[in-house]
Amino acid sequence: MSRLIVISNRVSVPKAAGAAGAQGGLAVALNSALRENRGIWFGWSGQETEEFTGHLDMQRNDGVTTATIDLEPQDIEEYYNGYANRTLWPLFHYRIDLTEYDRNFGEGYERVNRRFADSVRPLIDQDDLVWVHDYHLLPLGSMLRTQGMKNRMGLFLHTPWPPTRLLVSLPFHERLVESMLAYDVIGFQTEEWLGSFLHYLEKEMGLEIGADGCVEYQGRRIVARAFPIGIDFAEFTEGANSPEAAEAHDKLKASVRGRKILIGVDRLDYSKGLGERFESFSRFLADNPEEASKAVLLQIAPPSRGDVASYQQIREDLERKTGHINGAHADVAFVPIRYVNRGYPRRQLAGFYRAAEVGLVTPLRDGMNLVAKEYVAAQKPDNPGVLILSQFAGAALQMEDALLVNPHSLEHVSETIKLALNMPIAERRARHEKLLASVRDEDVVHWREQFVKALFGSPCGTDHGEDALA
Ligand code: ADQ
């Protein structure tokens, strides 16, 4: 049987469900995938070393083998804080105003991708499947091919893929996209991002896309498809019914003394639309004085990428906004926004979701958004809360029974908050039932199976990978 080799920027050593600290969407998804496949998760340790050595730190934790390397300060600055998070992340989230183009970033990105390729190469056997993740490592596959690797290799992009008109603003965009065509399978979160990618291949590279999503390039056949990621439904619902979740639920409920709770849970990132969300809630408070003192917004937002200036900026903006809004609407016994900058164990988080009458998930742009799915999974089916979801989250394509909103429109979000807080139980149940079915059926196991099936099989007919897998 082929092993699975997962490669991503960071490797997150699996934690037990009740353990402290936040785990990002990627970490949560991959740990469940790896537990069921013998294999290795390779990536950066998150640690800095004075000079890059390529030393591999191998560990085994909770059924998952990890192999990590340390990076030197210049790598971290140019590759991680630079090209990945100051160039590609904003560009892929349609923020060309925040996108920085710096030649050193591009060079650092290629250098670190080559270091990844050199370090992981000895760990890969002839018939292993290689699954690369995300925007940090787009050219890794082509570097492994240059070293003669013939294994089947797939790439899954967790972010959106931008429209061609935006992407062409990136210097050397042709080189970046061309390098991606070294993979056998290229996966996107939604048909929308897939469509943008295929549009680029057609318009900028003159390639022809087959009806099956297959593309021929330099004698190889590549498939590009949508594989919407899901949550670990079984683990999450078990957590939601745990004593830790019940305790978190009860504590939060007691603290709001009968008020209704709207909850937001997001990494502190400008793509998540937190500023607009706070302002929409403020509009709701101003427009509905009779309801204003009956609702509390709990926003949990652990800081991320603190070394990047735009992230320091958003943190300051949100602190100022929270201060303003609370200053305008609070009284001695009531503060409308509770803004918390820390991570929580997943079971506690599930308890908070369950305690909230409304899940407020309003990113300006998001590859998928797992918080929307976790909120639905955590609800009590006989008395569920209401999900308000941005139409610009990838999740909106699967979750049409949420209340979909335009996060840029304060009026729209404010009116939808009112609707959600007053929704009759029958409608809440009916919407939740449909949402729950899709969150349950299209979970992370389904996602992984679909991707690995495409990687293992040959959806585009023959190519070099088949012999190795025979
Ligand atoms: P993220 O941008 O990190 O992921 P998201 O999908 O919402 O966004 O996942 C966040 C995860 O972190 C959730 O599982 C959430 O519970 C957890 N989390 C957030 N705040 C937390 C806190 N305070 N305490 C504990 N846990 C917390 C990227 C893409 C998304 C895509 C995922 C998966 O940007 O679009 O859905 O990858 O592919």
Side-chain angles (χ1 to χ4, degrees):
M1 195 182 119
S2 306
R3 294 183 314 167
L4 187 62
I5 307 293
V6 168
I7 309 177
S8 64
N9 171 55
R10 285 292 300 275
V11 171
S12 173
V13 175
K15 293 181 188 150
Q23 287 209 298
L26 179 60
V28 175
L30 289 183
N31 280 324
S32 7
L34 278 162
R35 234 170 249 124
E36 288 178 37
N37 286 268
R38 304 170 306 124
I40 300 173
W41 187 356
F42 172 85
W44 174 34
S45 59
Q47 301 297 315
E48 199 176 290
T49 179
E50 214 170 295
E51 204 173 323
F52 180 75
T53 62
H55 169 75
L56 278 174
D57 181 12
M58 307 277 297
Q59 285 189 31
R60 195 165 166 81
N61 285 290
D62 205 15
V64 178
T65 301
T66 55
T68 55
I69 49 171
D70 299 343
L71 292 178
E72 59 188 43
Q74 193 183 350
D75 289 343
I76 298 169
E77 202 40 39
E78 294 175 352
Y79 149 80
Y80 181 69
N81 291 326
Y83 201 76
N85 287 328
R86 285 160 71 177
T87 308
L88 293 184
W89 177 271
L91 177 65
F92 284 11
H93 289 84
Y94 297 41
R95 292 296 300 269
I96 49 174
D97 58 319
L98 296 177
T99 306
E100 295 175 50
Y101 306 106
D102 182 322
R103 195 166 59 182
N104 293 334
F105 291 176
E107 284 169 9
Y109 185 71
E110 294 207 353
R111 181 179 64 249
V112 172
N113 268 271
R114 200 162 299 113
R115 288 184 163 170
F116 265 59
D118 294 343
S119 307
V120 73
R121 181 76 186 86
L123 299 178
I124 304 174
D125 291 340
Q126 190 189 334
D127 56 358
D128 288 343
L129 299 174
V130 177
W131 187 0
V132 176
H133 289 261
D134 234 356
Y135 60 102
H136 314 83
L137 301 174
L138 302 181
L140 179 62
S142 72
M143 291 173 183
L144 289 168
R145 291 272 184 246
T146 310
Q147 299 190 1
M149 244 190 66
K150 294 201 169 4
N151 300 50
R152 287 190 62 84
M153 292 197 287
L155 169 75
F156 183 78
L157 187 67
H158 291 258
T159 66
W161 182 265
T164 302
R165 300 289 286 169
L166 294 186
L167 185 58
V168 295
S169 66
L170 178 73
F172 307 113
H173 55 88
E174 309 88 340
R175 184 157 138 190
L176 187 72
V177 178
E178 208 184 319
S179 76
M180 290 167 69
L181 299 180
Y183 294 101
D184 300 294
V185 179
I186 306 177
F188 296 90
Q189 299 273 26
T190 68
E191 295 290 337
E192 186 178 352
W193 320 136
L194 170 67
S196 299
F197 181 74
L198 296 178
H199 180 269
Y200 181 97
L201 297 188
E202 278 182 319
K203 300 291 175 223
E204 294 293 318
M205 297 181 70
L207 299 179
E208 232 173 84
I209 318 294
D212 48 4
C214 295
V215 185
E216 196 160 323
Y217 185 67
Q218 295 187 338
R220 303 178 52 258
R221 286 173 68 74
I222 300 133
V223 67
R225 278 202 196 146
F227 300 89
I229 199 169
I231 61 166
D232 187 339
F233 184 80
E235 183 244 46
F236 202 82
T237 37
E238 190 198 321
N241 291 308
S242 66
E244 293 95 318
E247 193 186 331
H249 169 280
D250 294 350
K251 266 194 185 154
L252 177 57
K253 278 284 191 209
S255 76
V256 296
R257 285 169 291 148
R259 294 192 175 87
K260 291 192 172 173
I261 303 166
L262 298 95
I263 192 166
V265 175
D266 311 76
R267 271 186 314 101
L268 195 48
D269 191 298
Y270 47 80
S271 66
K272 303 292 183 185
L274 297 172
E276 289 77 0
R277 187 180 307 169
F278 284 10
E279 282 176 12
S280 299
F281 185 61
S282 174
R283 176 68 57 93
F284 165 78
L285 298 176
D287 288 353
N288 301 280
E290 70 294 349
E291 304 212 26
S293 59
K294 297 184 200 146
V296 174
L297 171 60
L298 169 62
Q299 177 63 53
I300 300 177
S304 70
R305 304 175 194 167
D307 292 335
V308 177
S310 48
Y311 287 77
Q312 293 155 10
Q313 183 68 45
I314 170 137
R315 191 166 182 175
E316 283 166 25
D317 286 352
L318 287 173
E319 278 163 12
R320 209 177 28 247
K321 271 200 179 111
T322 313
H324 273 300
I325 298 170
N326 280 343
H329 297 282
D331 69 26
V332 287
F334 166 66
V335 176
I337 299 183
R338 292 187 188 179
Y339 174 47
V340 188
N341 286 131
R342 53 164 284 200
Y344 282 92
R346 300 185 59 67
R347 291 181 172 181
Q348 275 189 37
L349 206 56
F352 295 154
Y353 286 136
R354 188 172 271 203
E357 279 79 3
V358 177
L360 199 48
V361 184
T362 54
L364 305 180
R365 198 65 60 177
D366 215 332
M368 175 55 64
N369 194 295
L370 294 179
V371 168
K373 297 185 175 186
E374 291 169 358
Y375 178 77
V376 167
Q379 298 308 301
K380 286 193 291 287
D382 57 336
N383 187 20
V386 180
L387 175 65
I388 298 180
L389 178 61
S390 164
Q391 67 190 84
F392 303 124
L397 275 77
Q398 290 169 300
M399 305 182 86
E400 289 172 348
D401 289 285
L403 296 178
L404 296 183
V405 292
N406 172 4
H408 298 280
S409 167
L410 308 189
E411 283 74 20
H412 189 198
V413 178
S414 158
E415 281 160 19
T416 309
I417 290 174
K418 186 170 180 184
L419 198 70
L421 288 172
N422 295 292
M423 188 181 282
I425 179 120
E427 186 179 349
R428 279 194 275 129
R429 280 191 192 145
R431 285 177 182 271
H432 178 256
E433 198 180 322
K434 290 192 199 143
L435 289 170
L436 189 68
S438 86
V439 172
R440 186 187 54 224
D441 297 344
E442 293 163 13
D443 69 349
V444 73
V445 178
H446 177 77
W447 170 72
R448 186 246 310 169
E449 282 173 357
Q450 295 299 308
F451 193 92
V452 173
K453 197 168 136 203
L455 190 54
F456 191 79
S458 289
C460 297
T462 58
D463 56 38
H464 56 259
E466 275 189 320
D467 292 344
L469 288 166

